[in-house]
């Protein structure tokens, strides 16, 4: 049993980090509409689970069953205060998990620095409710319990590892590496238990995906209509995207800590090298980017950032101890300075936010709220509209329309698919704002060959110019509203 003093110390550490997350990160946070689009989409998926007629309405984000259940239930049964508490708890849990790993490698001061850095570095994703807030504690906590705790904790570590893919599917790759290690060592019992648990986790994911999307082709966001076109010179685009991802956390600090941790555990601190498994999900992102035309987004690299802020910091302190820059149980001023002083950069966004008034809502959120209040379109209609704006519609009024589809999905459909969609549509609600992923901006955003000559897009622009109806795919599109903000058209079937 843990001594009472350790329990109290752990409680007060958690309380301190929780309060830091709540006030530093969530000060001025005013609810669900401040979550990032990916998290809003998971809430919209929750609404579709009990409404079969809405299946396949959205696909801009891969469904994450764990997040669908947690955020969906929270949105349905609770309010903004509960959301803030949950985000603060998740942020505190993430920071303390990374601090625990850093402390295990480099001692108590390493743990302190790991916690201090992670609170600032992950602040934007705490506010956005990103899926990585679940993934990182599950993945790193699973590895901690599976390999480094007493044998009785191994099963709990396995449970955390197989839960991780329910929040980000690429985490399954890390579990596969763990299984391969058992297979190579001929540890048949461990391999069978892990394989069975992973199969169950993947089965749950598939059930959710079939229930939400119906068709296998819609299982990834590649089929949402946002497919980018050719990137031009591969190396320059690749390096540019990579730099943009890491610059969010300060490129030099993040890459330095990542390299320090990876080199240290591989060469000098081998008892901790299994944490390298946590970088496998990042490699999946690279494979997706290089071979499948996927994208590099900042939040996809959180496993790498977490590795640097835990293993990297731990190795830095452990190395300074071995080089006699500090006593084994003492405080290393050089190592702390290397970590904490540059780490102040991570707190600048939070400091600016505390001093500034709340920013306006994201354009698609504001437009989605406008769509919810639109009285021109009768209840029970079949609607074709902007994907991101439909998140908010399905969150607030999932029973208002008989069917909803996205213009982005329509955009990548073939001729037959477009004709079938319009034949089953009553109104088109098209937004004219500057948001990059709206239908009218797809040409400049996606840069697909021939996108500028699309006949439906050409027809829409002509309707906007002339404010008169036109026919296509066996229907007539009649404009009802054509102002600076939106184009609302009635779809009438001909003959």
């Amino acid at each position: 049993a843990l001594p009472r003093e350790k329990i109290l110390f752990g409680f007060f550490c958690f309380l301190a980090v929780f309060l830091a997350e709540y006030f530093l990160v969530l000060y001025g946070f005013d609810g669900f509409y401040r979550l990032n689009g990916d998290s809003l989409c998971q809430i919209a998926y929750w609404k579709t689970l009990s409404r079969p007629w809405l299946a396949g309405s959205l696909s801009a984000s891969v469904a994450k069953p764990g997040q669908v259940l947690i955020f969906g239930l929270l949105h349905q049964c609770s309010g903004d205060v509960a959301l803030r508490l949950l985000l603060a708890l998740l942020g505190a849990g993430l920071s303390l998990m990374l601090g625990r790993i850093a402390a295990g490698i480099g001692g108590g001061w390493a743990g302190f620095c790991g916690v201090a850095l992670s609170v600032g570095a992950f602040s934007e994703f705490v506010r956005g409710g990103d899926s990585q807030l679940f993934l990182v504690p599950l993945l790193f906590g699973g590895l901690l319990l599976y390999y480094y705790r007493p044998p009785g904790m191994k099963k709990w570590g396995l449970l955390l590892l197989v839960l991780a893919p329910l929040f980000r599917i690429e985490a399954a790759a890390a579990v596969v590496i763990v299984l391969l290690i058992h297979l190579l060592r001929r540890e048949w019992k461990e391999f069978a238990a892990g394989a069975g648990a992973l199969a169950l986790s993947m089965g749950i994911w598939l059930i959710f995906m079939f229930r939400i999307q119906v068709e296998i082709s819609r299982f990834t966001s590649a089929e949402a209509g946002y497919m980018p076109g050719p990137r031009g010179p591969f190396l320059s685009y690749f390096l540019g995207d990579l730099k943009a991802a890491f610059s969010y956390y300060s490129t030099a600090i993040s890459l330095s800590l990542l390299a320090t941790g990876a080199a240290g555990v591989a060469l000098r601190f081998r008892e901790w090298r299994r944490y390298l498994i946590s970088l496998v999900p990042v490699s999946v992102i690279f494979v997706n980017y290089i071979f499948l035309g996927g994208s590099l987004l900042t939040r996809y690299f959180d496993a790498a950032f977490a590795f640097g802020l835990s293993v990297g910091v731990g190795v830095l302190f452990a190395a300074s101890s071995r080089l006699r820059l500090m006593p084994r149980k003492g405080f290393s001023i050089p190592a702390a300075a290397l970590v904490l002083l540059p780490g102040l950069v991570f707190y600048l966004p939070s400091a600016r936010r505390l001093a500034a008034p709340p920013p306006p809502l994201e354009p698609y959120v504001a437009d989605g709220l406008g769509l919810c209040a639109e009285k021109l379109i009768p209840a029970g209609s079949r609607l074709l509209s902007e994907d991101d704006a439909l998140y908010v519609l399905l969150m607030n009024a999932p029973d208002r329309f008989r069917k909803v589809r996205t213009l982005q999905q329509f955009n990548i459909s073939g001729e037959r698919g477009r004709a079938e969609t319009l034949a089953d549509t009553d109104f088109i609600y098209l937004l004219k704002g500057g948001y990059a992923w709206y239908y009218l901006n797809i040409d400049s955003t996606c840069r697909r060959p021939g996108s500028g000559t699309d006949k439906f897009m050409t027809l829409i622009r002509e309707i906007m110019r002339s404010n008169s109806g036109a026919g296509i795919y066996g229907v007539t599109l009649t404009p009802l509203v054509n102002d600076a903000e939106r184009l609302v058209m009635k779809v009438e079937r001909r003959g």
Side-chain angles (χ1 to χ4, degrees):
L2 288 174
R4 181 170 177 270
E5 292 78 10
K6 285 191 175 181
I7 294 176
L8 287 174
F9 178 75
F11 170 76
F12 284 115
C13 284
F14 181 84
L15 182 61
V17 179
F18 170 81
L19 292 175
E21 294 284 359
Y22 195 89
F23 291 105
L24 178 66
V25 178
L26 297 175
Y27 178 83
F29 181 83
D30 55 357
F32 285 93
Y33 298 131
R34 297 294 181 180
L35 296 176
N36 62 34
D38 184 86
S39 297
L40 294 180
C41 192
Q42 304 310 309
I43 298 173
Y45 285 153
W46 167 258
K47 304 292 185 177
T48 69
L49 282 175
S50 59
R51 297 168 175 83
W53 60 91
L54 293 178
S57 296
L58 304 170
S59 61
S61 173
V62 175
K64 304 166 182 65
Q67 199 175 8
V68 168
L69 289 175
I70 292 174
F71 279 177
L73 281 169
L74 194 66
H75 181 264
Q76 182 167 320
C77 304
S78 189
D80 294 343
V81 173
L83 176 65
R84 287 197 294 270
L85 289 173
L86 173 66
L87 294 179
L89 287 171
L90 290 172
L94 182 151
S95 294
L96 290 174
M97 175 61 64
L98 299 185
R100 171 63 185 87
I101 293 170
I105 300 174
W109 283 108
F112 170 77
C113 289
V115 170
L117 287 183
S118 64
V119 170
F122 285 92
S123 63
E124 293 302 321
F125 290 127
V126 173
R127 286 176 63 86
D130 197 87
S131 56
Q132 303 283 356
L133 291 177
F134 301 91
L135 169 66
V136 172
L138 290 172
L139 183 59
F140 283 77
L143 290 172
L144 177 67
L145 294 178
Y146 194 75
Y147 284 112
Y148 302 111
R149 287 286 187 177
M153 301 299 293
K154 192 178 186 74
K155 60 184 178 182
W156 298 108
L158 176 62
L159 176 63
L160 296 182
L161 287 174
V162 298
L163 284 176
L166 296 180
F167 292 91
R168 287 216 67 90
I169 187 62
E170 63 265 22
V175 185
V176 170
I177 297 299
V178 173
L179 296 179
L180 287 176
I181 292 174
H182 287 311
L183 190 62
L184 292 173
R185 293 178 175 177
R186 299 185 179 182
E187 297 169 346
W188 308 118
K189 183 178 179 180
E190 289 83 355
F191 175 80
L198 180 61
L200 179 61
S201 177
M202 291 295 92
I204 294 172
W205 184 80
L206 286 172
I207 290 172
F208 265 74
M209 291 302 295
F210 271 114
R211 186 65 187 81
I212 289 171
Q213 299 295 7
V214 182
E215 301 175 8
I216 294 179
S217 64
R218 296 172 60 86
F219 272 24
T220 71
S221 57
E223 291 300 319
Y226 298 137
M227 286 287 288
R231 298 187 181 90
F234 173 77
L235 186 59
S236 63
Y237 273 75
F238 179 81
L239 293 178
D241 283 353
L242 185 61
K243 181 180 179 181
F246 277 97
S247 64
Y248 194 86
Y249 289 123
S250 174
T251 305
I253 298 173
S254 298
L255 288 177
S256 297
L257 290 176
L258 175 61
T260 298
V265 297
L267 301 175
R268 300 287 298 177
F269 304 94
R270 295 185 179 180
E271 65 271 24
W272 301 94
R273 64 186 175 185
R274 288 192 179 91
Y275 280 115
L276 289 169
I277 294 171
S278 62
L279 295 179
V280 174
V282 179
S283 68
V284 175
I285 300 302
F286 280 108
V287 171
N288 177 51
Y289 179 81
I290 296 171
F291 298 105
L292 301 178
S295 61
L296 287 172
L297 295 178
T298 307
R299 64 178 183 269
Y300 293 168
F301 287 84
D302 273 10
F305 302 140
F307 183 94
L309 293 174
S310 56
V311 182
V313 169
V315 166
L316 187 63
F317 273 76
S320 68
S321 175
R322 293 194 180 186
L323 293 173
R324 298 183 180 180
L325 296 177
M326 71 172 184
R328 177 60 183 169
K329 295 185 178 181
F331 177 60
S332 168
I333 293 179
L338 285 173
V339 173
L340 288 180
L341 293 181
L344 293 176
V345 151
F346 295 149
Y347 288 90
L348 293 179
S350 296
R352 286 196 297 266
R353 189 188 309 114
L354 287 171
L361 292 172
E362 292 288 345
Y364 61 86
V365 174
D367 290 334
L369 291 172
L371 176 57
C372 291
E374 180 61 67
K375 299 185 182 302
L376 187 64
I377 304 176
S381 301
R382 296 164 296 181
L383 180 68
L384 183 64
S385 188
E386 305 287 356
D387 183 76
D388 286 3
L390 289 176
Y391 299 163
V392 181
L393 173 70
L394 293 185
M395 286 172 59
N396 289 282
D399 297 314
R400 179 176 177 184
F401 296 114
R402 180 154 44 115
K403 184 68 178 178
V404 296
R405 295 184 179 87
T406 72
L407 281 161
Q408 288 72 20
Q409 180 68 36
F410 175 88
N411 185 60
I412 62 171
S413 298
E415 295 294 291
R416 180 177 177 181
R418 288 185 171 194
E420 291 175 350
T421 297
L422 288 181
D424 194 35
T425 298
D426 299 316
F427 292 90
I428 297 176
Y429 191 94
L430 187 146
L431 291 160
K432 299 181 180 181
Y435 182 63
W437 298 109
Y438 281 165
Y439 176 73
L440 288 176
N441 301 321
I442 282 179
D443 285 355
S444 58
T445 302
C446 296
R447 304 183 303 277
R448 279 192 300 273
S451 59
T453 60
D454 180 89
K455 65 180 183 181
F456 187 77
M457 176 73 77
T458 302
L459 181 73
I460 291 296
R461 295 191 182 280
E462 176 58 26
I463 292 175
M464 290 168 55
R465 186 194 66 79
S466 64
N467 199 34
S468 59
I472 193 172
Y473 296 120
V475 300
T476 298
L477 308 181
T478 304
L480 304 178
V481 176
N482 183 20
D483 57 23
E485 297 178 354
R486 67 202 192 284
L487 172 65
V488 183
M489 295 178 289
K490 182 175 177 58
V491 181
E492 299 173 306
R493 279 152 288 284
R494 294 181 293 181

